[in-house]
Amino acid sequence: MFSKKTMEVFRNPKHVGFIKDADGIGRVGNPSCGDIMWVYIKVKQKNGKEILEDVKVKTFGCVAAIATASTVGEIAIGKALDKAIAITEKDIAKKLGGLPKEKMHCSTLSKKGLKAAIEDYRNKKEKAD
Amino acid sequence: MKLLKSTTKNTAVNAGDVTNNTGNYTMTKRVYLDHAATTPLDKRVLKVMEPYFSEKFGNAASTHFFGEEAEEAVEKAREDIAKAINAKPGEIYFTSGGTESDNLALAGIMRTGKKCEQLVTSNIEHHAIIRTADSLKKEGFETKFLSVNKKGFIQIEDVEKALKKKTRLVSVMHANNEIGTIQPIKEIGEACHKKETLFHSDAVQTVGKEKIDVEKMNIDMLSASAHKFYGPKGVGFLFKREEIKIEPLMFGGSHEKGLRPSTSNTPGIVGMAKALKIGIIEMDEENAREKKMRDRLVKESLEIKNSWINGGFPKIAGCAPLGFDFVEGQSMLLMLSDKGIAASTGSACNSEGLLPSHVLTALGLPRVKCHGSLRFTLGRENTDTDIDYVLEVLPPIVKKLREISPLRGK
Ligand SMILES: Cc1ncc(COP(=O)(O)O)c(C=O)c1O
Ligand code: FES
C-alpha cells in the first residue's frame, strides 16, 4: 500500500516531537478520520527574512500521517515563511514517492498543520507589535 | 504484508530480530496472532486432501468410477460434518465459504417470502451479513439491526421486542470476529421459535472451536468457513433444516440439490471435514491452553497505563481485543509487523476507508478509542514464548507512539 520511502520515514521519522519554546503552534484535526496533528515551529531572522529554523510535529494518526508529518518538517526547514506556507500536499506526497489516493488527506493534514503554525506565529507577532 | 520478506518458513520462535538493511527485511521471528482472520492449514488436513487433486480428481457428479470415488469422499465428508454439529447429512450444503453461506441463508430465505417481510439481525455482524441485509433492503424487504450493550452482547428482551408477525428471519452471529463475544444463541433461538420465526447464526468464528449442537441451540441455519478452523480457504458450508425452503443464489447444474450448482470442490470439502474432526477432538485441551495464554497476554498488556479490553466475556478462547489510548492502531500494527508479530486492527485508516470499525462503534466506543484498538487472536501454533515476545515488544511500541502523540497529557 505504501511506498518504500513512506515506510522508511514512518519507521524513522526525524521531525516528530515538539519544540518547548515554539514561536508558533498549529493544531489541526481531520473530522473524517478523527486524526490530529500539532505542528510546532521555530522562526529565525536571516538577511531580513523570516526563516523556519525548526519544525516538529506531534501526531495521532495513521502511518501516512506520521510519514507526512515528518516530511512536511523536512521540506519546510530552512525555507522562508512565505515559501513554507505554500507547500502543498502534493509536494509532501512527491517527496514520499507518492501516496495512495485515500491517503492524500493525511498529507493535507500535515500541510494544514504547518500553515496553522505559521499563522499562529504571525498572529502572535502582530499582537506583540 | 508485501514489505516483509521472510527467510524462514518456520513459525517456531528463534532468537533474533528483524534487521533493517534499507528495505530488506530478514525475519527470523514470525509470530502469527491473527487467527480470527485465517488459520494455517493443518498438515494432517493437507495429507487427506492431497489425493483429491490429481489422483482422485473426478467430478463427483460423473457416472463412472472416477466420479464415484469423488462422490463417496464428498458424501462421507457431509456425514462427518453433519454429525459434528448434530444435523442430518442432507442438511449440509457445501459452499465457497462464510460469505457465500451468509448470503445464501439470508437472501435465500427472504426471497421465498413477500417484500413486506422483515429480517432482523445485529449491528455487530460481519459485513457478509450486514451488506446482504442492506442489499435485501434495496430489494424492498424490511431490515432491523439490533444494538448490543456496551459489553458487546445482544439482549434477549431486544430480540423478543423486535419479533413481529412480519419477521421472517433472525440472524445473529455466534461469536464476533473483532471482539470475540459469544452470544446467547440458544436463548435467541428459543425466542425466535416461540414466535415461529426462523433463526440463522453465522458461526464462522466458532465452528471447530466451540461446541455446536444445532438441536440444542435452536439453530435453523448456520454458516461455517473451513479456513477459520485450520482447513483450506475457499470452502465452507451452510446447514439448513430439511423442512426449510430457500432460493438459490446461483443457477446451473443440480449439485447440492440444485441449491448450489457448480462442481464439488472435493479436496476442499474433504479437508474441511478432517479439520472439523480434529478441531472437535482437540477442542477442550486447545481452548484451555489458548485461554491461559490469552489471559496472561491480556493481564500483562493491561499493565500498560491507559489501556483496555474491548467487549465482555464469554469470549472465544484465543481472542484478545485490546486498546491503547493516544495511539493509532495502524501504526502499532506496522511496528509490530516490523518485529515479526502479526496482529490486526479494526480501526479507521485501514485500506477500506476512514470509518472506525462498526463493531467497536456499536459498543459505544468513542472514535479516538476505536483508533487505538489492537486485536490479537491466538491459535494452535502459538506458545508461551510467543506471548513473552509480544509482552517484550508491545510496551516500547506504545511508548514510542505516545511520545509523538498530541493527545498525551492534554
Ligand atoms: C464472522 C464471520 N463471518 C463471515 C466471514 C467470511 O468468511 P469467508 O472469508 O470464508 O467468506 C468471516 C471471516 O472473515 C467472519 O469472521
Ligand atoms: S491521517 Fe487520517 S487516515 Fe491518515
Side-chain angles (χ1 to χ4, degrees):
Chain A
M1 164 181 213
F2 293 115
S3 69
K4 226 172 175 175
K5 180 72 186 167
T6 305
M7 290 310 297
E8 231 174 82
V9 178
F10 163 73
R11 288 192 172 97
N12 248 319
K14 291 200 178 62
H15 304 285
V16 295
F18 76 108
I19 301 170
K20 217 173 153 195
D21 49 349
D23 295 324
I25 302 175
R27 294 188 172 92
V28 290
N30 182 325
S32 74
C33 67
D35 293 339
I36 299 167
M37 231 178 264
W38 290 4
V39 179
Y40 301 77
I41 56 167
K42 193 90 194 134
V43 181
K44 69 172 175 194
Q45 305 289 329
K46 197 174 154 192
N47 305 333
K49 264 190 187 164
E50 290 171 306
I51 305 277
L52 279 172
E53 185 183 4
D54 198 10
V55 178
K56 284 260 190 300
V57 187
K58 280 210 164 201
T59 162
F60 169 77
C62 68
V63 170
I66 293 176
T68 56
S70 182
T71 305
V72 81
E74 192 178 328
I75 301 174
I77 290 171
K79 275 204 164 61
L81 293 192
D82 287 336
K83 286 258 165 65
I85 209 163
I87 293 171
T88 66
E89 49 269 72
K90 281 198 186 119
D91 297 334
I92 303 170
K94 206 171 145 200
K95 188 107 185 157
L96 286 169
L99 276 174
K101 213 170 105 217
E102 71 275 15
K103 288 287 169 181
M104 272 312 278
H105 78 276
C106 318
S107 190
T108 307
L109 196 60
S110 295
K111 173 198 84 172
K112 280 190 180 156
L114 178 69
K115 189 163 173 266
I118 295 174
E119 278 163 1
D120 177 56
Y121 163 77
R122 285 179 172 164
N123 283 340
K124 275 184 193 150
K125 213 178 122 209
E126 230 169 69
K127 271 185 206 145
D129 286 350
Chain B
M1 195 146 298
K2 266 191 224 122
L3 295 147
L4 304 168
K5 257 197 212 140
S6 158
T7 53
T8 47
K9 286 168 221 86
N10 210 333
T11 42
V13 174
N14 307 312
D17 211 323
V18 179
T19 8
N20 178 349
N21 34 29
T22 55
N24 282 320
Y25 298 92
T26 319
M27 253 200 273
T28 53
K29 207 165 202 148
R30 301 223 299 167
V31 180
Y32 185 75
L33 290 166
D34 197 13
H35 291 81
T38 193
T39 56
L41 186 80
D42 190 298
K43 298 277 190 305
R44 295 166 287 183
V45 173
L46 180 61
K47 202 159 163 236
V48 303
M49 289 171 71
E50 261 162 3
Y52 293 95
F53 286 102
S54 53
E55 205 181 303
K56 306 181 182 182
F57 62 86
N59 183 329
S62 300
T63 317
H64 47 58
F65 52 93
F66 281 101
E68 271 165 26
E69 206 168 57
E71 190 193 8
E72 228 168 76
V74 168
E75 293 316 313
K76 176 75 172 58
R78 203 185 303 277
E79 272 169 38
D80 290 349
I81 289 170
K83 205 182 284 169
I85 62 166
N86 196 20
K88 296 183 197 115
E91 296 175 322
I92 305 296
Y93 296 82
F94 295 122
T95 67
S96 65
T99 302
E100 189 191 336
S101 299
D102 284 345
N103 274 262
L104 182 56
L106 266 51
I109 282 288
M110 295 310 289
R111 286 177 188 160
T112 57
K114 293 188 215 72
K115 283 288 156 73
C116 56
E117 286 179 299
Q118 187 195 38
L119 164 68
V120 173
T121 182
S122 86
N123 64 353
I124 61 162
E125 298 296 313
H126 190 269
H127 281 131
I129 295 287
I130 291 191
R131 291 186 180 152
T132 304
D134 288 344
S135 159
L136 288 166
K137 190 174 175 174
K138 276 195 198 136
E139 274 179 45
F141 296 102
E142 227 183 88
T143 54
K144 181 174 174 61
F145 291 92
L146 299 170
S147 306
V148 290
N149 64 12
K150 276 199 158 68
K151 298 259 175 212
F153 294 99
I154 301 275
Q155 306 302 106
I156 301 296
E157 307 85 74
D158 291 343
V159 178
E160 284 167 347
K161 258 186 258 158
L163 285 167
K164 301 268 157 57
K165 225 183 172 156
K166 63 183 174 188
T167 314
R168 187 166 184 82
L169 177 71
V170 173
S171 177
V172 174
M173 70 200 317
H174 190 193
N176 180 270
N177 44 305
E178 278 185 52
I179 55 173
T181 48
I182 301 176
Q183 302 298 335
I185 290 302
K186 185 175 176 230
E187 290 75 13
I188 297 172
E190 199 179 342
C192 293
H193 289 174
K194 264 189 207 151
K195 292 278 171 73
E196 288 174 2
T197 303
L198 294 170
F199 177 49
H200 166 260
S201 184
D202 173 342
V204 168
Q205 289 291 335
T206 50
V207 170
K209 295 182 172 179
E210 291 288 328
K211 285 196 181 74
I212 306 239
D213 181 322
V214 292
E215 285 301 324
K216 279 196 190 135
M217 291 164 79
N218 302 311
I219 298 170
D220 300 313
M221 293 195 288
L222 172 139
S223 303
S225 182
H227 74 96
K228 305 280 186 183
F229 53 93
Y230 308 90
K233 290 169 181 57
V235 59
F237 69 86
L238 175 70
F239 153 76
K240 173 190 82 64
R241 283 184 194 278
E242 260 171 341
E243 59 274 20
I244 301 172
K245 293 279 170 287
I246 70 176
E247 287 289 324
L249 294 177
M250 295 193 285
F251 302 90
S254 54
H255 317 82
E256 304 296 306
K257 295 182 222 157
L259 199 61
R260 207 283 183 172
S262 181
T263 303
S264 305
N265 171 3
T266 318
I269 290 166
V270 167
M272 172 160 66
K274 177 70 176 177
L276 184 52
K277 207 176 231 173
I278 295 171
I280 287 172
I281 292 170
E282 299 181 353
M283 189 180 289
D284 290 343
E285 203 178 318
E286 180 55 23
N287 280 353
R289 200 184 71 86
E290 281 178 26
K291 190 173 167 298
K292 211 171 135 214
M293 290 191 288
R294 189 268 315 270
D295 289 347
R296 184 163 74 94
L297 175 63
V298 169
K299 186 169 163 274
E300 294 188 28
S301 297
L302 294 187
E303 280 170 17
I304 297 175
K305 270 193 205 144
N306 299 303
S307 59
W308 73 91
I309 177 165
N310 285 317
F313 289 86
K315 263 188 186 9
I316 30 182
C319 188
L322 302 171
F324 301 94
D325 279 313
F326 320 126
V327 293
E328 201 268 341
Q330 194 189 32
S331 302
M332 282 193 276
L333 267 195
L334 266 168
M335 288 192 171
L336 284 167
S337 182
D338 277 355
K339 293 281 184 190
I341 297 170
S344 154
T345 161
S347 86
C349 309
N350 57 19
S351 48
E352 261 193 47
L354 305 172
L355 294 175
S357 132
H358 67 283
V359 177
L360 300 178
T361 312
L363 300 181
L365 218 60
R367 203 168 191 157
V368 271
K369 284 205 184 253
C370 293
H371 280 298
S373 291
L374 184 67
R375 179 193 75 181
F376 295 103
T377 43
L378 284 59
R380 272 188 208 154
E381 341 76 68
N382 294 129
T383 61
D384 275 317
T385 326
D386 295 344
I387 305 304
D388 289 339
Y389 183 56
V390 175
L391 290 168
E392 177 194 319
V393 164
L394 181 63
I397 289 177
V398 174
K399 185 165 174 270
K400 189 172 167 192
L401 287 169
R402 281 182 178 171
E403 272 164 11
I404 65 167
S405 168
L407 295 177
R408 190 82 217 251
K410 203 162 87 171

